[in-house]
Amino acid sequence: LCENAGIMGEYFRQQLASLQSPFIKTIRGKGLLNAIVIDHPNPDAAWNLCIEMMHHGLIAKPTHGDKIRFAPPLIITKDEIDQCILIIAKSLSILD
């Protein structure tokens, strides 16, 4: 599980970076505990993004106003991460 968390966490962060969203200011994490910092003039943008992701099947926790935490299960697969990235990409469109 520890090895998978390290490998999948790195893959998750790489895929987030590949989105090249102007709304993702920072990507950080270790293993599968990851976070993004949202850069948007609306102080509720992180909350709204989490609600939109939830409607598409991805649960994430907004925190400290502009941060979103992701903590997937330790057994997550590459295909499941790809599905998460698709949901995040789709949901980011509400911030336009």
Side-chain angles (χ1 to χ4, degrees):
L1 294 177
C2 289
E3 183 179 351
N4 189 60
I7 293 167
M8 292 298 107
E10 180 65 30
Y11 179 72
F12 181 63
R13 290 185 295 278
Q14 289 171 354
Q15 296 306 305
L16 282 171
S18 74
L19 294 176
Q20 297 184 339
S21 171
F23 303 115
I24 298 177
K25 180 179 180 179
T26 307
I27 301 166
R28 59 183 179 215
K30 184 173 184 178
L32 282 168
L33 296 177
N34 294 282
I36 57 175
V37 178
I38 300 300
D39 185 18
H40 196 275
N42 180 349
D44 295 325
W47 173 263
N48 295 337
L49 182 56
C50 285
I51 297 299
E52 184 68 17
M53 289 187 296
M54 180 187 66
H55 289 307
H56 295 289
L58 179 62
I59 303 293
K61 183 183 185 325
T63 184
H64 303 292
D66 63 346
K67 294 163 191 70
I68 298 175
R69 292 182 187 162
F70 298 94
L74 298 177
I75 59 170
I76 195 164
T77 65
K78 202 173 199 180
D79 288 339
E80 291 167 331
I81 287 176
D82 290 340
Q83 291 173 8
C84 293
I85 294 298
L86 288 173
I87 292 170
I88 294 166
K90 182 180 198 178
S91 299
L92 280 165
S93 67
I94 68 155
L95 300 181
D96 285 333

